[in-house]
């Protein structure tokens, strides 16, 4: 037989043999993938425990369920035990669930780190507590009072003290007396409140900024003498006299809109009258009436049979399987060291945390991924920590919602009370970490409701002692050496965001918005004051790509604590409509921020100084803009913005006609003439999609290719022994493949590179 025929016949025999073995390999691959018997037993036990409605929490020591029938001594002891167990960078997390009823009037509730107080009645007035108190910490300030929350309660005491900063939401509650947002003279840097009724005055105190949505308080109930940026949406009882008094000394401190754009409250747990535990999922509302929501009937409910209850002792594989088989997943308090991302693949899926569950990312990978094209997914009340070593070349976003491959979903979903962090933390061995982008929203029609993205400016790895008078400004922390490129990147269209906080991102713009028809209400950023970058290297806090025609934002603040200059606080397209912008220079001259806002277009850059400054606080009511409403947006419709009559109006310098079109290429991640950093972000996004597709393609064929190789190995060895010298001519396709492999080696971390090469 000619030698040229022999290899063909051997290859065919190998292929047939491989097909016959395929079924056996697939059965064996289950064991190879780690699906061991004990894992499935654990999953079965978890599923059974989640279906036992009255006992789902009994195996969870960090879920504390209180009943008003308990004695005062028992209640107080449990609350104090939780308060004493949590610390600033500790690993303890707790959820205190309060069953419906009236709690003893002597009960004191002081709320510490990583603790959630959750009333589990159907309505806030079903759970009545006499006291709620968060005061200044050991430094005499409240600027480090993070990671605590309250929801679903009525506080009956005469004064509630809620002196907190970021990542401390107060939701779905009634404060019968006064609500104080700061303690004594200590500084404070909050905050977020939604769906809250206040019986007496609201005292802002030293709070620098705050976002309010759907709140009710009495006429002249706002007391305000400091502050920089307060946004009220859907507020009932906010009278003109209070606003004018609050704005004294700094006009436009308050941004007021009587209606809210589309929004939805976060999901929550309810113990119904018949003793059944349920998960309530509120519906999406469009411009509801001002004031706290009177109707707390959910859009739909889930029984605990439909909810997978996860705890930190479970393997990631067990939790992932729970996501696939149930309609929701409840992440209970603790730290979850993930070995793969938690990926949501079903419409209307709910991923809800209680007690600040913390997901630690697998090196190079995301904590949470939401599949593209899904409708009405809810992700709420979760912390995500970056765990990719700083030495790695690449890492996925900690939260990646969609991949941008399709557009026009009904409502992609709601992200509520999300925290993403990068830093050197003791519980992660004080190692330096990196996060290229911490949060990436690629899907259309999303609602983002309170998110804090934080590159740590302090930690527990640097021999720094928190105390009164301790100055972090000039101290060198281990976290300063961690890497971060973007806090949030928005590539999706028609995204609405409420309460966005981004701090200390060092190697890129802090928020980068590439999508059309975006709306944002309240933004707070603190530029990296430990950075050694010079003025030309400094990035902006808030960037809207210059080709974006539709962008509306209200109540934007960027601050810097530095003696080194920054180039600009905001960099936007000439079509972006920004109302009430403030920049604050702390402990430095007013001109430390070279420009407050810069507009970038094809014609070049135009920058604006503040309209006025007072005590290093500089503000601008609006920008002169180009009106593009006659244009047809690519991939989006013009959004329905709530009435703006109580906001300053912008100057319209030009109106585009409907005949004008984009001069750039295709909308989907084309190389627009945008800023350098925006180009880099969109290119990195497209590169990730291409590489991810190659990983999936290789992994799906790996079993077949492996079997074919084993079967054909004897024949290949024979051919090699009988080979003749051949002159190899490398075709252009091979050159391209080599270039692609070099790209993989450069952009993928070492532990993932072997998957591709």
């Amino acid at each position: 037989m000619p030698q040229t025929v022999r290899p063909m016949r051997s290859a065919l025999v190998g292929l047939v043999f491989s097909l016959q073995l395929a079924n056996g390999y697939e059965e064996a691959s289950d064991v190879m993938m780690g699906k061991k018997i004990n894992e499935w037993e654990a999953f079965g036990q978890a599923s059974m425990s989640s279906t036992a409605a009255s006992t789902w929490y009994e195996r969870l020591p960090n879920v504390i369920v209180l009943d008003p029938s308990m004695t005062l001594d028992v209640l107080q002891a449990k609350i104090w035990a939780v308060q004493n167990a949590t610390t600033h960078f500790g690993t303890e997390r707790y959820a205190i669930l309060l069953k419906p009823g009236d709690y003893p009037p002597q009960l004191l509730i002081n709320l510490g780190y990583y603790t959630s107080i959750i009333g589990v009645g159907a309505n806030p007035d079903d759970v009545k507590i006499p006291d709620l108190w968060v005061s200044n910490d050991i430094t005499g300030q409240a600027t480090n009072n993070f990671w605590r929350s309250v929801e679903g309660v009525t506080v009956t005491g005469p004064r509630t003290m809620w002196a907190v900063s970021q990542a401390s939401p107060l939701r779905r509650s009634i404060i019968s007396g006064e609500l104080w947002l700061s303690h004594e003279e200590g500084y404070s840097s909050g905050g977020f409140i939604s769906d809250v009724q206040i019986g007496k005055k609201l005292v802002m105190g030293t709070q620098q900024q705050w976002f309010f949505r759907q709140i009710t308080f009495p006429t002249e109930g706002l007391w305000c003498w400091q502050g920089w940026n307060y946004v009220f949406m859907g507020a009932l009882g906010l009278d003109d006299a209070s606003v004018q008094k609050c704005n004294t000394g700094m006009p436009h401190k308050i941004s007021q809109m009587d209606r809210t754009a589309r929004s939805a409250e976060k999901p929550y747990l309810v113990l119904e009258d018949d003793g059944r535990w349920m998960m309530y999922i509120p519906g999406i509302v469009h411009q509801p009436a001002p004031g706290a929501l009177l109707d707390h009937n959910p859009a739909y409910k889930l029984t605990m049979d439909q909810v997978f209850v996860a705890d930190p002792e479970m393997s990631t594989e067990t939790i992932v399987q729970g996501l696939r088989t149930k309609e929701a997943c409840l992440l209970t308090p603790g730290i979850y060291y993930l070995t793969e991302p938690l990926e949501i693949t079903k419409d209307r899926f709910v991923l809800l945390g209680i007690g600040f569950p913390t997901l630690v990312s697998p090196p190079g990978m995301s904590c949470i991924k939401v599949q593209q094209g899904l409708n009405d997914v809810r992700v709420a009340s979760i912390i995500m920590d970056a765990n990719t070593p700083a030495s790695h070349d690449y890492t996925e976003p900690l939260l990646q919602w969609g991949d941008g491959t399709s557009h026009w979903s009904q409502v992609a979903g709601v992200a509520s009370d999300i925290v993403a962090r990068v830093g050197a933390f003791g519980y992660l061995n004080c190692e330096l970490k990196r996060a290229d982008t911490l949060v990436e929203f690629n899907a259309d029609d999303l609602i983002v409701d309170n998110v804090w993205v934080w590159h740590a400016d302090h930690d527990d790895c640097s021999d720094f002692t928190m105390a009164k008078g301790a100055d972090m400004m000039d101290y060198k922390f281990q976290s300063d050496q961690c890497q971060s490129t973007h806090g949030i990147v928005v590539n999706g269209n028609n995204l609405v965001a409420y309460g966005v906080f981004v701090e200390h991102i060092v190697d890129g713009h802090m928020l980068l918005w590439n999508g059309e028809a975006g709306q944002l209400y309240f933004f707070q950023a603190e530029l990296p004051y430990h950075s050694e970058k010079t003025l030309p290297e400094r990035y902006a806090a808030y960037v809207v790509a210059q080709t974006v025609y539709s962008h509306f934002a209200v109540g934007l603040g960027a601050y810097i604590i530095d003696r080194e200059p920054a180039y600009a606080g905001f960099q936007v397209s000439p079509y972006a409509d920004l109302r009430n912008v403030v920049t604050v220079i702390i402990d430095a001259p007013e001109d430390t921020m070279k420009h407050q806002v810069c507009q970038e277009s094809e014609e070049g850059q135009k920058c604006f100084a503040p309209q006025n400054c007072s005590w290093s606080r500089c503000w601008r009511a609006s920008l002169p803009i180009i009106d593009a409403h006659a244009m047809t947006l690519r991939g989006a419709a013009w959004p329905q913005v709530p009435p703006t009559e109580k906001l300053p109006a912008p100057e319209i310098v030009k109106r585009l006609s409907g005949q004008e079109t984009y001069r750039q290429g295709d909308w989907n991640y084309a190389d627009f003439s945008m800023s350098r950093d925006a180009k880099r972000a969109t290119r990195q996004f497209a590169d990730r999609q291409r590489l991810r597709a190659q990983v999936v393609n290789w992994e799906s064929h790996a079993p077949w290719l492996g079997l074919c190789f084993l079967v054909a190995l004897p024949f290949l060895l024979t051919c090699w022994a009988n080979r003749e010298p051949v002159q190899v001519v490398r075709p252009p396709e091979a050159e391209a493949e080599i270039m692609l492999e070099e790209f993989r080696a450069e952009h993928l971390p070492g532990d993932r590179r072997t998957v591709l090469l």
Side-chain angles (χ1 to χ4, degrees):
M1 181 180 295
Q3 289 185 348
T4 56
V5 177
R6 195 174 293 136
M8 295 175 59
R9 187 179 69 173
S10 299
L12 288 172
V13 171
L15 178 61
V16 172
F17 187 63
S18 300
L19 289 170
Q20 292 174 342
L21 291 178
N23 290 336
Y25 178 84
E26 289 177 357
E27 293 174 1
S29 67
D30 284 347
V31 177
M32 296 171 63
M33 294 299 291
K35 297 175 181 176
K36 302 179 181 65
I37 297 299
N38 61 340
E39 285 291 338
W40 289 113
E41 288 178 349
F43 172 72
Q45 293 170 0
S47 298
M48 286 187 291
S49 66
S50 68
T51 60
S54 61
T55 60
W56 66 266
Y57 54 84
E58 290 182 359
R59 62 185 174 86
L60 304 170
N62 288 29
V63 177
I64 312 298
V65 180
L66 302 183
D67 192 303
S69 63
M70 296 176 176
T71 66
L72 175 63
D73 289 344
V74 170
L75 291 169
Q76 195 67 73
K78 288 179 178 289
I79 290 174
W80 281 347
V82 169
Q83 179 188 355
N84 294 329
T86 60
T87 59
H88 196 155
F89 291 106
T91 57
E92 291 295 319
R93 280 103 171 96
Y94 289 91
I96 299 177
L97 308 187
L98 302 174
K99 290 185 177 182
D102 294 0
Y103 286 79
Q106 301 86 2
L107 183 65
L108 302 177
I109 301 179
N110 293 349
L111 199 57
Y113 286 101
Y114 305 110
T115 304
S116 297
I117 296 289
I118 303 172
V120 295
N123 294 292
D125 57 1
D126 292 336
V127 178
K128 293 184 173 64
I129 58 176
D131 176 72
L132 179 62
W133 201 264
V134 178
S135 57
N136 293 336
D137 65 7
I138 193 173
T139 67
Q141 318 289 341
T143 49
N144 294 317
N145 282 353
F146 313 132
W147 309 308
R148 61 200 78 197
S149 65
V150 171
E151 62 181 271
V153 299
T154 294
V155 185
T156 59
R159 175 179 294 181
T160 295
M161 181 67 67
W162 191 243
V164 299
S165 290
Q166 292 86 354
S168 300
L170 174 59
R171 291 182 178 270
R172 202 170 45 83
S173 294
I174 299 171
I175 309 298
S176 300
E178 300 173 354
L179 176 59
W180 287 62
L181 298 181
S182 71
H183 180 217
E184 297 177 341
E185 297 301 318
Y187 294 123
S188 47
S189 182
F192 183 95
I193 287 178
S194 179
D195 188 18
V196 170
Q197 179 178 334
I198 303 168
K200 296 185 179 179
K201 59 187 177 185
L202 169 65
V203 181
M204 302 302 301
T206 65
Q207 278 293 345
Q208 298 168 356
Q209 67 276 320
W210 204 284
F211 175 79
F212 302 87
R213 186 181 68 235
Q214 302 301 138
I215 72 164
T216 301
F217 53 88
T219 301
E220 299 185 7
L222 176 64
W223 286 38
C224 160
W225 56 85
Q226 293 189 27
W228 307 332
N229 180 28
Y230 303 143
V231 175
F232 292 86
M233 297 192 75
L236 183 62
L238 184 59
D239 59 292
D240 293 340
S242 295
V243 172
Q244 288 180 348
K245 188 175 182 179
C246 186
N247 279 331
T248 300
M250 186 175 174
H252 308 292
K253 181 193 307 181
I254 287 183
S255 300
Q256 183 182 5
M257 301 180 74
D258 288 340
R259 298 282 179 162
T260 301
R262 72 180 191 277
S263 63
E265 287 300 314
K266 64 179 284 293
Y268 52 96
L269 297 177
V270 171
L271 178 61
E272 294 190 332
D273 293 340
D274 58 4
R276 293 191 306 161
W277 285 89
M278 306 287 288
M279 182 182 289
Y280 280 23
I281 295 83
I284 294 173
V285 295
H286 297 264
Q287 299 194 21
L293 300 176
L294 300 177
D295 181 7
H296 287 96
N297 291 324
Y300 62 99
K301 307 177 185 179
L302 296 174
T303 67
M304 296 308 285
D305 290 338
Q306 299 170 283
V307 178
F308 181 80
V309 180
D311 71 74
E313 299 301 318
M314 295 178 178
S315 69
T316 304
E317 184 184 8
T318 300
I319 299 173
V320 168
Q321 186 63 21
L323 267 64
R324 294 171 182 164
T325 58
K326 298 288 186 174
E327 303 304 311
C329 176
L330 181 67
L331 294 174
T332 58
I335 297 178
Y336 296 73
Y337 296 89
L338 301 180
T339 58
E340 61 179 298
L342 303 184
E343 186 164 4
I344 298 173
T345 60
K346 295 188 292 188
D347 288 338
R348 288 165 53 108
F349 192 87
V350 180
L351 182 61
L352 173 64
I354 57 173
F356 292 91
T358 302
L359 306 180
V360 179
S361 71
M365 302 184 198
S366 301
C367 289
I368 301 173
K369 288 186 174 182
V370 181
Q371 193 177 83
Q372 180 71 26
L374 299 182
N375 287 318
D376 202 14
V377 171
R378 308 294 178 95
V379 178
S381 302
I382 296 170
I383 296 177
M384 296 168 290
D385 278 349
N387 193 32
T388 300
S391 58
H392 279 217
D393 295 328
Y394 166 78
T395 176
E396 296 176 334
L398 296 181
L399 170 60
Q400 186 179 59
W401 201 306
D403 58 19
T405 56
S406 62
H407 303 281
W408 292 107
S409 60
Q410 295 175 10
V411 174
V414 186
S416 305
D417 299 344
I418 300 298
V419 178
R421 310 187 299 191
V422 59
F425 303 132
Y427 88 96
L428 294 178
N429 301 317
C430 294
E431 296 174 353
L432 301 183
K433 306 297 182 181
R434 72 170 297 149
D436 295 350
T437 295
L438 281 85
V439 176
E440 188 175 80
F441 296 116
N442 302 311
D444 293 349
D445 303 293
L446 270 170
I447 298 171
V448 176
D449 195 37
N450 187 32
V451 57
W452 184 33
V453 174
W454 189 55
H455 183 137
D457 62 337
H458 60 286
D459 52 55
D460 58 342
C461 297
S462 307
D463 296 324
F464 182 83
T465 301
M466 288 286 184
K468 282 190 176 182
D471 186 6
M472 297 192 305
M473 179 173 168
D474 296 319
Y475 198 89
K476 300 299 182 183
F477 288 91
Q478 185 86 343
S479 292
D480 298 340
Q481 302 176 55
C482 293
Q483 300 177 36
S484 57
T485 305
H486 296 296
I488 301 174
V489 174
V490 178
N491 292 316
N493 292 331
N494 200 31
L495 183 144
V496 179
Y498 305 96
V500 175
F501 306 77
V502 187
E503 295 193 311
H504 315 135
I505 304 299
V506 294
D507 293 320
H509 298 313
M510 303 177 79
L511 182 148
L512 177 59
W513 203 302
N514 297 318
E516 285 283 9
Q519 300 177 65
L520 181 141
Y521 302 96
F522 182 89
F523 174 78
Q524 180 260 326
E526 186 171 84
L527 294 167
Y529 60 94
H530 289 156
S531 173
E532 297 180 354
K533 292 183 179 296
T534 60
L535 184 144
E537 297 173 320
R538 283 291 179 91
Y539 295 95
Y542 190 102
V543 173
V544 178
Q546 65 170 297
T547 53
V548 170
Y549 279 165
S550 173
H551 187 86
F552 183 76
V554 176
L556 310 173
Y559 322 139
I560 188 168
I561 313 171
D562 213 337
R563 297 178 181 86
E564 295 294 328
Y567 184 75
F570 302 86
Q571 180 180 307
V572 300
S573 79
Y575 318 106
D577 187 356
L578 275 54
R579 316 280 183 98
N580 289 344
V581 177
V582 60
T583 49
V584 181
I585 315 301
I586 302 172
D587 293 334
E590 293 174 354
D591 60 358
T592 299
M593 193 87 68
K594 185 173 183 180
H595 305 292
Q596 188 177 45
V597 184
C598 289
Q599 291 177 336
E600 285 200 350
S601 66
E602 293 179 352
E603 286 71 33
Q605 186 182 75
K606 183 177 182 181
C607 294
F608 299 89
Q611 290 176 326
N612 208 338
C613 292
S614 174
W615 294 91
S616 296
R617 303 171 183 89
C618 302
W619 63 89
R620 169 167 283 278
S622 63
L623 290 174
I625 62 171
I626 299 174
D627 186 347
H629 278 80
M631 305 299 295
T632 299
L633 303 180
R634 296 287 185 92
W638 282 89
Q640 295 182 352
V641 174
T644 61
E645 66 271 8
K646 293 185 177 180
L647 296 174
E651 175 191 358
I652 306 298
V653 297
K654 180 182 178 182
R655 297 185 188 276
L656 296 184
S657 67
Q659 283 72 37
E660 297 180 65
T661 59
Y662 284 95
R663 283 181 283 175
Q664 290 80 14
D666 182 67
W667 181 85
N668 283 316
Y669 311 108
D671 188 7
F672 292 154
S673 178
M674 58 178 68
S675 66
R676 175 188 62 185
D677 214 50
K679 286 181 180 179
R680 180 174 65 177
T682 51
R683 283 171 178 164
Q684 286 178 345
F685 177 80
D687 290 340
R688 281 202 301 274
Q689 306 313 307
R690 182 170 64 253
L691 289 174
R692 188 178 294 111
Q694 291 165 353
V695 171
V696 173
N697 187 57
W698 167 254
E699 290 177 345
S700 64
H701 291 84
W704 295 97
L705 294 174
L707 285 174
C708 289
F709 176 78
L710 291 175
V711 171
L713 182 60
F715 166 72
L716 293 174
L717 293 175
T718 302
C719 290
W720 178 259
N722 298 323
R723 72 190 187 281
E724 296 180 2
V726 177
Q727 182 178 2
V728 178
V729 179
R730 184 176 293 153
E733 292 81 2
E735 293 285 355
E737 183 62 24
I738 290 174
M739 293 176 64
L740 180 58
E741 290 182 4
E742 291 175 349
F743 177 85
R744 294 168 183 161
E746 179 183 356
H747 290 275
L748 287 177
D751 57 352
R752 298 194 66 207
R753 203 172 294 157
T754 54
V755 177
L756 291 173
L757 301 181

